Amino acid sequence: MRYRVRTPDGELTYSSMREVEMAYTYGLVGPDDEVLEEGKELWRKASTIPILARARPERKKIAPTHVLSVLAAVVLGVAALSLILSDSWTRRALGVVLALAMSTLLTRVTYKAFKRPGPTQG
Protein backbone atom coordinates (compact mmCIF):
# COMPACT_ATOMS: atom_id res chain seq x y z
CA MET A 1 0.00 0.00 0.00
CA ARG A 2 1.33 3.45 -0.93
CA TYR A 3 1.62 6.42 1.41
CA ARG A 4 1.90 10.11 0.62
CA VAL A 5 3.75 12.36 3.04
CA ARG A 6 3.18 16.10 2.99
CA THR A 7 5.97 18.25 4.47
CA PRO A 8 6.53 22.02 4.37
CA ASP A 9 8.99 21.36 1.53
CA GLY A 10 6.55 19.37 -0.62
CA GLU A 11 5.04 15.93 -1.02
CA LEU A 12 6.68 12.51 -1.33
CA THR A 13 5.23 9.08 -2.08
CA TYR A 14 6.44 5.94 -0.30
CA SER A 15 5.58 2.41 -1.37
CA SER A 16 5.16 1.02 2.17
CA MET A 17 4.75 2.03 5.80
CA ARG A 18 8.22 0.55 6.42
CA GLU A 19 9.71 3.14 4.06
CA VAL A 20 7.81 5.91 5.84
CA GLU A 21 9.09 4.56 9.17
CA MET A 22 12.68 4.56 7.91
CA ALA A 23 12.30 8.11 6.61
CA TYR A 24 10.88 9.11 9.99
CA THR A 25 13.81 7.49 11.79
CA TYR A 26 16.30 9.32 9.55
CA GLY A 27 14.52 12.62 10.14
CA LEU A 28 13.25 13.00 6.58
CA VAL A 29 9.68 12.83 7.88
CA GLY A 30 8.96 14.89 10.98
CA PRO A 31 6.36 14.38 13.72
CA ASP A 32 4.27 17.29 12.38
CA ASP A 33 4.33 16.11 8.75
CA GLU A 34 1.07 14.69 7.40
CA VAL A 35 0.63 11.15 6.08
CA LEU A 36 -2.11 9.91 3.76
CA GLU A 37 -2.71 6.20 3.22
CA GLU A 38 -3.68 5.16 -0.30
CA GLY A 39 -7.46 4.91 -0.60
CA LYS A 40 -8.11 7.14 2.44
CA GLU A 41 -9.05 10.79 2.52
CA LEU A 42 -7.88 11.82 5.99
CA TRP A 43 -4.37 13.22 6.42
CA ARG A 44 -2.85 12.27 9.80
CA LYS A 45 0.11 13.76 11.60
CA ALA A 46 3.03 11.33 11.62
CA SER A 47 3.23 11.48 15.43
CA THR A 48 -0.34 10.12 15.73
CA ILE A 49 0.41 6.94 13.74
CA PRO A 50 1.33 4.20 16.27
CA ILE A 51 4.14 2.65 14.21
CA LEU A 52 5.79 6.04 13.78
CA ALA A 53 5.12 7.13 17.35
CA ARG A 54 7.11 4.09 18.55
CA ALA A 55 9.94 4.71 16.07
CA ARG A 56 12.79 6.58 17.65
CA PRO A 57 14.46 9.17 15.46
CA GLU A 58 18.22 8.76 15.38
CA ARG A 59 19.95 11.15 17.71
CA LYS A 60 23.01 12.78 16.33
CA LYS A 61 25.89 12.82 18.76
CA ILE A 62 28.67 15.34 18.60
CA ALA A 63 31.92 13.52 18.07
CA PRO A 64 34.74 14.56 20.42
CA THR A 65 36.98 15.01 17.39
CA HIS A 66 34.57 17.63 16.04
CA VAL A 67 34.78 19.60 19.28
CA LEU A 68 38.57 19.44 19.26
CA SER A 69 38.66 20.42 15.59
CA VAL A 70 36.47 23.46 16.20
CA LEU A 71 38.62 24.52 19.16
CA ALA A 72 41.73 24.11 16.99
CA ALA A 73 40.07 26.25 14.31
CA VAL A 74 39.37 28.99 16.86
CA VAL A 75 43.01 28.95 17.97
CA LEU A 76 44.16 29.04 14.33
CA GLY A 77 41.77 31.91 13.63
CA VAL A 78 43.00 34.00 16.57
CA ALA A 79 46.63 33.34 15.64
CA ALA A 80 45.96 34.16 11.98
CA LEU A 81 44.20 37.41 12.86
CA SER A 82 46.95 38.55 15.19
CA LEU A 83 49.61 37.77 12.56
CA ILE A 84 47.67 39.48 9.76
CA LEU A 85 47.37 42.64 11.86
CA SER A 86 51.14 42.79 12.47
CA ASP A 87 53.54 45.13 10.67
CA SER A 88 55.81 42.47 9.17
CA TRP A 89 55.00 41.14 5.69
CA THR A 90 56.42 37.75 6.66
CA ARG A 91 54.05 37.51 9.61
CA ARG A 92 51.13 38.63 7.47
CA ALA A 93 51.90 35.88 4.96
CA LEU A 94 52.05 33.33 7.78
CA GLY A 95 48.70 34.67 9.02
CA VAL A 96 47.14 34.12 5.61
CA VAL A 97 48.48 30.55 5.55
CA LEU A 98 47.01 29.93 9.01
CA ALA A 99 43.67 31.40 7.88
CA LEU A 100 43.62 29.01 4.90
CA ALA A 101 44.44 26.09 7.20
CA MET A 102 41.57 27.15 9.49
CA SER A 103 39.11 27.33 6.59
CA THR A 104 40.20 23.89 5.37
CA LEU A 105 39.75 22.45 8.85
CA LEU A 106 36.28 23.97 9.26
CA THR A 107 35.22 22.76 5.81
CA ARG A 108 36.29 19.21 6.73
CA VAL A 109 34.44 19.36 10.08
CA THR A 110 31.28 20.71 8.44
CA TYR A 111 31.34 18.02 5.75
CA LYS A 112 31.76 15.22 8.30
CA ALA A 113 29.11 16.66 10.64
CA PHE A 114 26.41 16.84 7.99
CA LYS A 115 27.22 13.71 6.01
CA ARG A 116 24.14 11.48 6.29
CA PRO A 117 24.37 7.72 6.31
CA GLY A 118 22.38 5.97 3.61
CA PRO A 119 19.33 3.82 4.43
CA THR A 120 20.20 0.35 5.67
CA GLN A 121 18.76 -2.83 4.27
CA GLY A 122 16.51 -4.59 6.71
Side-chain angles (χ1 to χ4, degrees):
M1 183 162 303
R2 300 174 70 87
Y3 293 87
R4 287 177 29 205
V5 177
R6 184 167 52 194
T7 69
D9 298 326
E11 227 177 82
L12 290 172
T13 302
Y14 294 92
S15 59
S16 69
M17 179 52 81
R18 176 71 180 137
E19 285 185 6
V20 176
E21 183 181 359
M22 287 178 64
Y24 186 82
T25 301
Y26 284 121
L28 301 174
V29 175
D32 292 331
D33 294 343
E34 297 176 321
V35 179
L36 178 67
E37 187 177 346
E38 186 178 45
K40 306 261 175 129
E41 294 182 17
L42 179 65
W43 288 88
R44 297 172 58 190
K45 286 197 181 243
S47 60
T48 65
I49 298 173
I51 292 173
L52 300 180
R54 286 189 300 269
R56 301 264 190 254
E58 285 185 354
R59 295 185 186 265
K60 290 191 176 189
K61 296 179 183 176
I62 298 174
T65 56
H66 289 180
V67 174
L68 292 175
S69 297
V70 170
L71 289 176
V74 169
V75 170
L76 281 174
V78 169
L81 184 59
S82 66
L83 289 171
I84 289 172
L85 294 176
S86 70
D87 292 332
S88 167
W89 286 104
T90 307
R91 287 183 175 211
R92 285 182 181 176
L94 181 59
V96 169
V97 170
L98 286 179
L100 289 172
M102 178 197 65
S103 67
T104 302
L105 180 62
L106 286 178
T107 301
R108 183 175 162 267
V109 169
T110 303
Y111 174 76
K112 285 189 170 192
F114 289 102
K115 187 169 64 170
R116 289 185 176 262
T120 57
Q121 298 291 328

